[in-house]
Structure formats: structure tokens, C-alpha cells
Amino acid sequence: MVEREGVILVEAAAASTQRDYDWSKKQVFALNVLEIGKLLTRSKGELTFVHDPNKGRAGEGSTVKTFKLSRMNTDSTQALLLHLLSCGMSD
């Protein structure tokens, strides 16, 4: 019996130079079971998940994370965007 479902953690870091990333400022996004299923069964188009790490607690709405996956101009290239909005400031 599963007491608590797990997640897959996606870590992303902004490029500081070509092929060099600033991992000291990485962002982490936790995909739950339903989101993983949608990601695996997605055929075309864009897929977006929005999370509030403080939902239901003090600070709700102060940080919002957006995970977006979309196809580029060709079917073989994917674009991943992980965006963090914190206290009205974009990172």
C-alpha cells in the first residue's frame, strides 16, 4: 500500500555562458504522478504546470513556479521553461 505518492524533481539552471550553467541558483520543480502521466502521453502542443509551494499555508501566492514544455519549430526539438515568480519579482 502506498502511503504517499512520490514526485520526480526537475532541476534547472540558467546559462551563465555558452555550455556553462549557474547551478548555485538552480530551481527545482516537483512533478507529481498525474503531471508525469500528462508529460509522458503528450503528443503535440504545449504543456504547462503551475505550482505554489506555499499553497494552504502562510505566504500563499508569494512564490509561483511555472513549468512549461513546448515544441520548437521542428518536431524533434523541445523547449523547457522553468519560471519562478517570487513576491512579485521575476527570477
Side-chain angles (χ1 to χ4, degrees):
M1 184 165 114
V2 176
E3 291 183 21
R4 183 175 180 208
E5 292 182 350
V7 297
I8 291 180
L9 297 176
V10 177
E11 295 182 344
S16 51
T17 62
Q18 187 176 6
R19 297 186 184 188
D20 189 30
Y21 300 90
D22 187 357
W23 288 103
S24 67
K25 296 180 181 176
K26 73 178 178 183
Q27 296 297 325
V28 179
F29 196 93
L31 294 170
N32 66 34
V33 173
L34 295 175
E35 292 166 334
I36 295 164
K38 289 179 183 178
L39 186 63
L40 293 174
T41 59
R42 176 182 148 277
S43 59
K44 294 211 179 233
E46 190 173 279
L47 187 60
T48 302
F49 303 116
V50 179
H51 289 186
D52 180 348
N54 298 313
K55 187 171 180 152
R57 300 185 303 221
E60 183 172 347
S62 64
T63 301
V64 177
K65 294 182 177 185
T66 304
F67 176 97
K68 181 177 177 180
L69 184 66
S70 60
R71 293 196 187 277
M72 298 296 283
N73 294 334
T74 65
D75 282 341
S76 61
T77 304
Q78 302 287 319
L80 171 65
L81 173 66
L82 184 55
H83 184 74
L84 174 69
L85 183 65
S86 181
C87 298
M89 302 286 294
S90 179
D91 288 346

